Amino acid sequence: MDERCPVTPGSSHGPAFHESASALLRRMDVDSQRGLSREEAARRLQAVGPNRLRESRQRPPWRIALDQFQSPVVLLLLVAAAVAAGFGEFLEAVAIGGALLINALIGFGTEWRARQSMEALQRVGQMTATVRRSGAVSEIPARELVPGDIVQLSEGQVVPADLRVIAVENLQCDEAALTGESVPVAKNPTPVEDPRAPLSARHSMVFKGTAITRGTAQGVVVGTGMDTEIGRVAALVEEARGELTPLERRLERLGKRLIYFVIAVGVWVILSGVVAGRDLFVIIETGIVLAIAAVPEGLPIVATVALGRGMWRMARRNALVERLSAVETLGATTVICTDKTGTLTENRMAVRRVALPAGDVDMVREAHGAAFRRDARSVDPLAEEGLYKVLRVAALCTDAAHHEGRVTGDPTEVALLQAARGAGLRRAQLLRDLPEVRQESFDTATKKMATYHREGRGFLILVKGAPEPVIDACARAASPQGDVSALDPAQRRHWRERNEKLAGQGLRVLAVAEKRVAELGAEPYEDLVLLGLVGLYDPPRETVKAAIRRCRQAGIRVVMVTGDQPATAANIAVAVGIAEGAPPAVLTGRDLAAEGDRDGKRAARIRDSAIFARVAPEQKLRLVEIYQAYGEVVGMTGDGVNDAPALKKADIGIAMGRRGTEVAREASDIVLKDDAFETIVMAVEQGRAIFRNIRKFVVFLLSGNLGQIIGVSVAAVVNAPLPLLPLQILFLNLLLDVFPALALGVGPAEAGTLSEPPRDPKEPILTHGHWWAIAGFGVLMSAALLGVFAYALRVMGADTTTAVSMAFLTYGLARLWHAFNMRSPGTGVLRNEIVRNPYVWAAFALCGGLLLAGVYVPALAGLLKVVPLEMSQWWVVLGASLVPVILGQMALVVVAKVHGSSGRARGS
């Protein structure tokens, strides 16, 4: 920062919230009435930079393109193309390069569109600020704010920078996005005594990205950009190292295995060729053929398109995916850590319980509106005097109001007014009978609010506020019979106990009282009559409970991680089905931050807990690390700034699109555009379906390529002509490694996908069973290939070109039929996910036509060195090509009988 700027890091004056407003203004060299001059503001902007966060996650286009060539399989294909070119096989090299280019273009286009969508979301959050400069008030882009600017705030605005408030009028701020607190916080310009006070206790500060829910204020900017509290969390996001997703790790392992396999095949062919005494050039040519046969050219393309298809499906259902691999990762998720406020709850207050002298009355939401019940019996709020009086205070002692068909104001007051409306009390009608003549606004010192209403020749004073000060101000209390009696020490203790009981149920409690006076100037907070207590809460989202139940059926643990109070967290956790018991066990941020755990018991206790309260950003990060250390695949949902580091560190970060802050969206892999928790369940189902599809087409690709390797290797060992030529192999691979595999990769989810537990995070794409299946299918197809080739040469007396043509068509058709072998064991031969997949039939039609074109289009036939067949030769080709699929279907029936439905869970 420029040395002439009066705001410098590490100032000896201490934090701004601890310093008096007048001293701070002097130090910052600014007059609160005139603000900075435009020239000084421009100089400071030059010194400190724009008021925005670093865009740490944006990759330039060249980097996105380069990332498409990072996988081992792609690198293996590049080496194969280079080797082919080095030995003069330029057609093979160009064909492999073309396949790689197609894959890169698909991957780049999909990720670029996702990035554009994310940027569109971020632009929604751009805002302006009302600032005083050179004595005039004007509106400027928030990015142009500088330390020392005098900013004016009003209800409904988002705070554009970190401000030290210097003048307020009933100011309250919603800091849930930063601290996790669901209740708005009152602000005042009095310095905070403790210079090390936590964020939630800095009542003289408002922070960038939080929202003004009530009142107005004037403040001086003390932090912009990365020097704000939101910037501090953004820095934590940058420090949180992103992990490779499970799919990326699996594909990397598979690619390395393929590299070892190709090397082994090459060494084996060279050694066997030398032993057989074959010509060195022939050995090298055969090695190139086998290298081409061993590498599945379609694997990168199909994996990219399958993930892109899942990405598109999820976008249609309000889940925007930034990274392709994140689509599959949700399918492997074993733990979802979710914030409470706004994710599990509606992020609004609602009246739940009213404590009256005659007993508690519950308010419940029903399809036709609100209902009031006591001990499961309906209560008429207009007939029961005690309840009526409490709701009358809720309707009249308020700053909330109806505006253009909706209620506006402080969330708590909105909830009270809506409760009164639910009972049939209309504020406008009440004001006609009891017109308001005076108001004592809510004061953070007294923690109370009062309104004066004309009633006959006197006045009715209605009061609401924090329970303790209101109870202390009451000399009397209403009785169940409606009269009043002295509020003696025993009664005060009784009401305090009821207050503690409501608070223990996770409710925010207010006390309401009234009194009648003859003079308008009477003191409002003396000799009150206590009417009762009102308990409010942030209600759960209606769809969350069912979504969590589906997560549990899918074997996924849902863990609540919130900055709110333990009692509130426990109450909501039970309500949505995360936890059971009364009350459930709750761990706090202190448990996560505690040092020392030699025997691992504390970490195990943390791992097994379902509720965490009073958790700071660094502690959320620690929680994710603990789960990952136990081998869990962790999903983290959230919308606030305080969620961002954990979103970045988690295997899959899921941010809310509507309420989500810019920092949260930047740190996430997936953004829920509808903020619905149940969208996560849909994404999990899609992720699992995508992994199954990837597994199917990998088995399909590798078994098909293995058949080529076995066929060519056997011919090389016995010193026979090659049944398939290099360009033929490449043509078959580009055709059959792409279109049928692609059809398998974009198939819909199978029934019962969410009824199975998550995969073992350590489980590879291919298990031992899959490798045995690849070997078995490869042997079957190579047998068909070699059998037709030998039959054509020895029995039918065909020339080598005709025999190669028959082998070429036999293998091409066998690989097409082989797609039916990819059905799940336990499904019917004619009724399964492959037969119902329309893309499979489209691939059959396309590939069948191209195979025929390869034989009957002269230019293509000349390039591939094949000739048209006679009808008798075609019957041999068709019969032999069906043998692998017939024997494969028989093998699947046997597997289903031996293993039952468990084979379905393992995939095939």
Side-chain angles (χ1 to χ4, degrees), residues 579-604:
E580 298 176 351
V586 180
L587 298 184
T588 66
R590 291 182 179 179
D591 297 303
L592 292 171
E595 298 292 337
D597 186 29
R598 293 183 179 179
D599 56 5
K601 290 183 179 179
R602 183 169 59 84

Side-chain angles (χ1 to χ4, degrees), residues 587-643:
L587 298 184
T588 66
R590 291 182 179 179
D591 297 303
L592 292 171
E595 298 292 337
D597 186 29
R598 293 183 179 179
D599 56 5
K601 290 183 179 179
R602 183 169 59 84
R605 182 167 167 250
I606 290 171
R607 179 195 60 182
D608 296 334
S609 180
I611 312 171
F612 296 87
R614 292 296 191 199
V615 178
E618 298 88 345
Q619 294 160 351
K620 289 188 176 185
L621 200 62
R622 173 63 180 151
L623 180 62
V624 172
E625 290 171 345
I626 289 174
Y627 281 128
Q628 289 175 336
Y630 277 100
E632 305 281 5
V633 178
V634 184
M636 170 71 188
T637 74
D639 57 3
V641 177
N642 59 336
D643 298 321

